[in-house]
Amino acid sequence: MRKSKMYIFVVSILVLVFLQLWCSSVTFHHPYVGIYISLNNQEQWEVVESHPESASAKLGIAVGDIVKLIDGLPPEESQFVVKWGAIEQADTLLISKNGLDSEYRVESSTTIYDMIPLVEEFVCLFLAGILLLKLRRSQSARLLAAVFLTMAVIYMSLGASIRGDLVGKLLIANFMTILPVVFLHFIVVFFIEKGEVQLSTRFIKYLYAILLAGVMLRVLYFFPSMQKLYRLDGSITLGVFIIGFLINISVIAFMYFKVRKQHSYLSSIVKSVCFSLFISIFPIICLSFLPKIFLGIWVIDGIYTSWIIMLFPISFIYLIASNQLYDIGLVVRRFLFAGLMAIIPVSLFTGAYAFLFSNEVNEKQILFVFIGSTILVSLLLYAAEYWTTRLEPFLFPKKHVLQQALKKISKSLGAISTLRELKDIILVDIVNTMQVSGGAIVFLHRDEIEIITQGEIDDVEIEQLVKGSTLLNHPDYTSIEMSGHEAYTGYLIMTRKKTNTFISKEEKQWLELITSYLEISLENVHLIRKLTVNLQQFAAQLPNEGVAQDIQWFRKVMFELQEEERIRIATDLHDTTMQDLFFLKRRISSIADNGTLTKTDQDQLNNMNNFVDMINASLRQSCFELNPHLLREVGLIQTLQMYIEKEAYTTSFELSIEISPASSIESRDLQTKRHIFRIVQELLNNAKKHSQAERVRFVVEEANEQFYLHYEDDGVGFNELNEGVQKEIGASGMGIEQIKSRVIHMDGKMDLNTLKGKGMTFKMWIPVEEVSSV
């Protein structure tokens, strides 16, 4: 199947190359005569039309002249007159003008009417190739490539067709009727693919069948007796093209009225399609067709405005390739606003131009200047915002630096929860951006002064100035007071710049803006401090499990905060310290490999490398304990087994774990498995720090729809009734009370037995089917 597609592709390329060579040969070897003739009342062959850009117009042949001979033969014996009613591919003409006969020699030449279609053809081929190479998985992209290929063949055959070549006329006639059907097929598939609309494609195959029948009928052109059908077929081809184009517009209009009031992705696509259609056809209708019909002149020749029509299919490339669209309504409103802004200056300029050169210009030139200037100025105004943003780093470097710093600082303010972070995240950026020697943030409380400094600044002097209320007017410092707070008064203080110059007015306004952001952030820090104190007080007075459900929300919040903080610390260690150690090891290794060092120096460097490896291994273990990522990857049971086996190498006691089949727990959520891991982790930490045991054993199993965890050691134990000792044993940060909270939170039960000098046993049961999670 793949080979057959490849053969079809290769054959298609070869056919396209052959047609290109044929049409180009006809176009560049034969002149475009451009004369249409017919018999008049005197049975003479009279010129009824002469194209202004043709060779006949350059020779001075006009409508009403009589054609007597074509290449020495009467016109009725010319195959081109018989076939098409036109004179093409002629070398000499005998023309009668006002009763005087003159012989004209037609020279071969090419015109802009030959070059522009050639350029348009290669643009279409290029776009089709891009679609087939980059977006070939999309059916609508493949169909759009077929649209561009069809257009390319039309442009390719245009030069040969107007020169009377049979192949060129067959190509342009067939592909002119094919184009609207292929485009209709594309439109339907495009809306189905992008908007997931239910549109039928059954009728498309019937249209292709009709087109195939038309292609077969046009083969009759090769029979001399049927060649007069061409004149009738020309009108049919043009009619089919216009009707097909109107059907395409009708489908787009139907989709527009269907979704115009919706706020959806499909409505954005349809509006973009309608806008690009309007932009594509407006110039050729208003600047070419209508002036020609009503005024008899081209404001802009149709050969040039036809380029703009290509914007319509080209716009679909963007719609297919992009998952994010511009708000086309906003684009239109902005462009209309730019156009209105351009009307007054352009009108004044055009009026001045018409007045100053009134003897040298005509209405057509004035209209061209007005329309061209309006479009140009509108585009410049529309793009001004974009280019101002782009060029701002070069035109206004200081403003750009301040804006970028403001974005960075305002983004960082949301992550601040402590005063230490206020210095590390914010104050450093402010000092670096302002290029000052140093800076400080001061909090004046009722009983004390709190100062955070960065860079070269005398905090003792700052404290004296704050106490003496002379800070705001000091000549060496720029000080901005923050809005008063019930607990403190805040100040942002900057020294002079490193160049010993004062801070400019623009920079001071920037500092005032930063200060307004800081006020909100400092309020958050104050509230976090206050909330932390209240939580600590509340945690110290937790009720017993009898009323556990009443504080379920509190346990949920506390566990989430603990896990988030552990993950954050583990991530920071991995992304900063461990990476720094990695680069440090590489640097030491590169120095150790230096052949000029002595053996002693190399041994010392190797020892340093070994020490870095030990630190790295320790940090890696700490990161795992803070964030046991294996719970997600391999599950709870394997994680516990690997954790205990690894810890057994470093503990002073004999450590073991016995695991019976316990697969049901793996189906529970990640937070539940994390609770169980934390309980095991805390029991082991307590054993290492306080138990003085010789043997510690864990048992994990499932029975009667219960997950069972058993811990025992032969250590010193403790008095279970002594709450102070319990809390001391929990000095690792979680403690027995938090273990109990976790068990209760999972709707489990626990049993703790211990006596001083008798070791400790801990048992925990959790229902497998009804496990609570955070």
Side-chain angles (χ1 to χ4, degrees):
M1 184 69 178
R2 191 169 183 179
K3 284 187 177 181
S4 62
K5 288 183 178 180
M6 182 60 68
Y7 290 144
I8 293 172
F9 176 76
V10 172
V11 170
S12 300
I13 294 295
L14 292 175
V15 170
L16 192 63
V17 170
F18 171 76
L19 293 175
Q20 179 68 64
L21 293 174
W22 177 274
C23 293
S24 297
S25 175
V26 173
T27 300
F28 294 107
H29 284 84
H30 300 283
Y32 171 40
V33 180
I35 296 177
Y36 289 86
I37 61 176
S38 65
L39 287 171
N40 59 17
N41 295 331
Q42 288 79 31
E43 296 297 319
Q44 295 175 319
W45 291 96
E46 182 180 344
V47 177
V48 295
E49 183 179 348
S50 177
H51 196 280
E53 294 295 329
S54 65
S56 61
K58 295 177 183 178
L59 294 172
I61 301 172
V63 174
D65 293 343
I66 304 300
V67 180
K68 290 191 171 183
L69 296 176
I70 302 172
D71 290 336
L73 298 174
E76 59 270 17
E77 295 182 18
S78 170
Q79 60 172 326
F80 299 104
V81 174
V82 174
K83 290 178 183 177
W84 327 119
I87 302 175
E88 297 297 352
Q89 300 185 21
D91 294 323
T92 60
L93 296 173
L94 183 62
I95 305 295
S96 176
K97 280 179 172 290
N98 300 320
L100 298 175
D101 293 346
S102 300
E103 187 177 48
Y104 296 89
R105 179 167 294 279
V106 183
E107 300 291 340
S108 178
S109 64
T110 55
T111 67
I112 193 169
Y113 283 83
D114 297 320
M115 300 308 298
I116 288 180
L118 186 65
V119 175
E120 290 174 328
E121 175 200 343
F122 283 107
V123 170
C124 290
L125 290 174
F126 173 76
L127 294 173
I130 291 293
L131 286 166
L132 292 175
L133 289 174
K134 300 294 184 181
L135 301 169
R136 60 182 177 272
R137 296 183 181 276
S138 167
Q139 185 183 1
S140 62
R142 295 195 298 271
L143 285 169
L144 185 57
V147 170
F148 281 114
L149 286 173
T150 305
M151 294 172 63
V153 174
I154 293 172
Y155 290 129
M156 175 202 302
S157 58
L158 181 60
S161 174
I162 61 176
R163 285 166 172 80
D165 181 70
L166 182 59
V167 174
K169 289 190 178 292
L170 283 172
L171 286 174
I172 200 167
N174 285 318
F175 281 87
M176 282 283 287
T177 53
I178 289 172
L179 180 60
V181 177
V182 176
F183 196 80
L184 179 62
H185 191 182
F186 159 72
I187 287 287
V188 172
V189 172
F190 173 78
F191 283 129
I192 293 173
E193 187 177 281
K194 279 291 185 179
E196 298 181 357
V197 246
Q198 298 299 322
L199 294 175
S200 175
T201 58
R202 288 184 179 180
F203 67 96
I204 300 290
K205 59 183 180 182
Y206 299 113
L207 293 178
Y208 283 126
I210 295 172
L211 290 177
L212 181 60
V215 170
M216 296 176 67
L217 284 174
R218 288 191 180 97
V219 176
L220 296 175
Y221 284 1
F222 288 99
F223 298 95
S225 60
M226 304 297 292
Q227 287 173 353
K228 292 184 179 180
L229 289 174
Y230 167 76
R231 300 179 188 182
L232 178 61
D233 185 48
S235 301
I236 294 174
T237 299
L238 186 60
V240 170
F241 181 81
I242 293 173
I243 293 171
F245 186 69
L246 291 175
I247 291 174
N248 280 283
I249 293 179
S250 300
V251 172
I252 295 171
F254 168 76
M255 293 301 302
Y256 174 76
F257 285 107
K258 182 179 180 181
V259 302
R260 70 185 188 280
K261 296 183 179 180
Q262 298 178 6
H263 297 283
S264 62
Y265 181 46
L266 178 59
S267 65
S268 299
I269 289 176
V270 174
K271 290 174 183 177
S272 299
V273 169
C274 293
F275 178 72
S276 62
L277 177 62
F278 173 78
I279 291 296
S280 298
I281 66 174
F282 176 80
I284 196 169
I285 291 176
C286 296
L287 302 179
S288 298
F289 291 165
L290 292 181
K292 185 67 174 176
I293 292 171
F294 294 105
L295 302 177
I297 62 169
W298 300 98
V299 175
I300 300 177
D301 198 316
I303 195 70
Y304 302 109
T305 52
S306 64
W307 270 95
I308 305 176
I309 294 179
M310 292 182 65
L311 290 175
F312 185 52
I314 289 173
S315 65
F316 281 99
I317 299 177
Y318 164 72
L319 295 175
I320 292 172
S322 177
N323 290 322
Q324 184 174 356
L325 305 178
Y326 286 103
D327 185 348
I328 201 65
L330 178 62
V331 172
V332 172
R333 289 192 296 272
R334 282 186 57 191
F335 191 80
L336 288 176
F337 175 75
L340 292 174
M341 294 289 290
I343 285 291
I344 295 177
V346 167
S347 299
L348 294 174
F349 173 77
T350 306
Y353 173 77
F355 176 76
L356 293 173
F357 303 99
S358 57
N359 297 326
E360 302 175 19
V361 298
N362 54 36
E363 293 82 357
K364 184 177 179 180
Q365 292 172 325
I366 294 172
L367 186 61
F368 176 78
V369 169
F370 177 76
I371 294 175
S373 300
T374 302
I375 294 173
L376 183 61
V377 174
S378 300
L379 289 173
L380 288 174
L381 290 174
Y382 180 83
E385 181 180 351
Y386 171 80
W387 286 111
T388 301
T389 304
R390 285 285 184 178
L391 298 175
E392 186 181 68
F394 308 101
L395 300 177
F396 313 102
K398 188 61 182 179
K399 180 180 178 182
H400 176 72
V401 169
L402 293 178
Q403 286 182 345
Q404 293 300 112
L406 180 62
K407 290 178 182 178
K408 181 182 178 183
I409 291 172
S410 60
K411 185 177 180 180
S412 301
L413 281 170
I416 291 178
S417 58
T418 65
L419 293 180
R420 178 184 175 184
E421 291 174 339
L422 188 64
K423 172 186 175 180
D424 296 340
I425 298 177
I426 302 302
L427 193 55
V428 173
D429 284 340
I430 295 176
V431 170
N432 292 336
T433 302
M434 300 298 295
Q435 296 180 351
V436 295
S437 299
I441 298 176
V442 180
F443 302 97
L444 177 60
H445 299 275
R446 292 188 179 89
D447 302 324
E448 62 175 344
I449 295 178
E450 198 171 2
I451 302 177
I452 302 171
T453 62
Q454 172 63 28
E456 300 174 6
I457 188 168
D458 190 346
D459 53 347
V460 175
E461 182 184 8
I462 295 296
E463 184 175 354
Q464 292 174 351
L465 291 173
V466 171
K467 288 181 178 179
S469 302
T470 58
L471 177 64
L472 297 178
N473 299 319
H474 198 280
D476 294 332
Y477 298 103
T478 299
S479 305
I480 301 175
E481 182 177 352
M482 302 181 196
S483 299
H485 190 274
E486 60 179 10
Y488 62 84
T489 300
Y491 300 91
L492 176 63
I493 304 168
M494 294 288 118
T495 65
R496 289 188 180 187
K497 292 190 172 185
K498 294 178 180 179
T499 56
N500 201 30
T501 56
F502 288 104
I503 292 174
S504 67
K505 185 176 180 180
E506 181 183 19
E507 291 170 328
K508 189 169 183 180
Q509 290 175 344
W510 183 82
L511 280 175
E512 290 172 349
L513 184 59
I514 288 292
T515 302
S516 63
Y517 288 4
L518 273 173
E519 291 170 359
I520 300 172
S521 183
L522 291 173
E523 178 67 18
N524 292 337
V525 172
H526 175 72
L527 292 175
I528 289 171
R529 278 181 164 184
K530 194 172 181 180
L531 180 61
T532 302
V533 172
N534 292 337
L535 286 175
Q536 289 174 346
Q537 293 175 352
F538 185 64
Q541 302 172 1
L542 280 175
N544 57 34
E545 55 268 34
V547 289
Q549 294 302 321
D550 295 337
I551 59 165
Q552 185 77 354
W553 65 270
F554 178 71
R555 287 197 176 93
K556 179 179 185 298
V557 171
M558 292 300 293
F559 291 145
E560 284 180 347
L561 290 175
Q562 288 174 5
E563 292 302 330
E564 287 177 5
E565 188 65 13
R566 286 189 176 102
I567 292 172
R568 186 188 68 79
I569 295 171
T571 303
D572 288 346
L573 285 174
H574 181 273
D575 294 344
T576 57
T577 308
M578 291 181 68
Q579 297 300 319
D580 292 341
L581 287 172
F582 172 74
F583 290 114
L584 175 62
K585 182 181 177 182
R586 288 184 59 182
R587 180 63 179 158
I588 293 173
S589 298
S590 64
I591 296 173
D593 292 339
N594 192 338
T596 60
L597 296 177
T598 63
K599 189 175 184 306
T600 303
D601 291 337
Q602 288 181 339
D603 290 341
Q604 288 180 348
L605 290 173
N606 289 332
N607 290 335
M608 291 173 64
N609 252 347
N610 294 333
F611 185 63
V612 170
D613 285 337
M614 291 173 58
I615 297 173
N616 207 2
S618 177
L619 281 175
R620 195 174 299 277
Q621 177 63 18
S622 298
C623 288
F624 173 74
E625 292 178 3
L626 287 167
N627 182 23
H629 56 88
L630 291 178
L631 286 174
R632 188 189 301 275
E633 297 171 9
V634 300
L636 174 66
I637 302 303
Q638 288 191 49
T639 301
L640 289 177
Q641 189 168 7
M642 293 169 65
Y643 175 64
I644 296 299
E645 289 176 355
K646 189 170 183 179
E647 289 291 325
Y649 289 105
T650 60
T651 57
S652 58
F653 45 78
E654 179 186 342
L655 177 62
S656 64
I657 184 169
E658 299 174 11
I659 299 177
S660 299
S663 59
S664 297
I665 193 66
E666 301 294 357
S667 63
R668 308 315 303 171
D669 58 277
L670 180 63
Q671 297 298 336
T672 298
K673 290 183 272 191
R674 188 176 281 133
H675 283 313
I676 296 171
F677 178 82
R678 294 297 181 203
I679 291 172
V680 172
Q681 190 179 33
E682 182 59 26
L683 289 170
L684 184 56
N685 285 338
N686 285 337
K688 289 193 289 187
K689 292 179 180 179
H690 307 290
S691 70
Q692 302 178 27
E694 295 182 359
R695 184 178 62 83
V696 173
R697 184 171 72 101
F698 286 91
V699 177
V700 175
E701 61 182 4
E702 285 181 8
N704 299 323
E705 297 184 351
Q706 298 277 330
F707 175 81
Y708 172 69
L709 174 68
H710 174 79
Y711 164 89
E712 64 177 22
D713 67 49
D714 58 357
V716 295
F718 59 91
N719 186 355
E720 188 179 0
L721 299 177
N722 189 337
E723 294 184 1
V725 176
Q726 275 193 11
K727 294 187 183 295
E728 182 182 351
I729 290 177
S732 63
M734 186 186 300
I736 299 299
E737 287 295 332
Q738 286 237 28
I739 291 177
K740 183 187 295 184
S741 294
R742 288 187 184 273
V743 174
I744 294 173
H745 184 72
M746 294 186 290
D747 293 333
K749 296 179 181 180
M750 60 174 279
D751 182 24
L752 176 67
N753 293 310
T754 181
L755 286 174
K756 200 168 185 66
K758 300 293 185 181
M760 184 184 86
T761 60
F762 171 85
K763 299 178 181 179
M764 177 184 73
W765 298 268
I766 297 172
V768 173
E769 297 299 325
E770 298 180 0
V771 180
S772 294
S773 62
V774 190

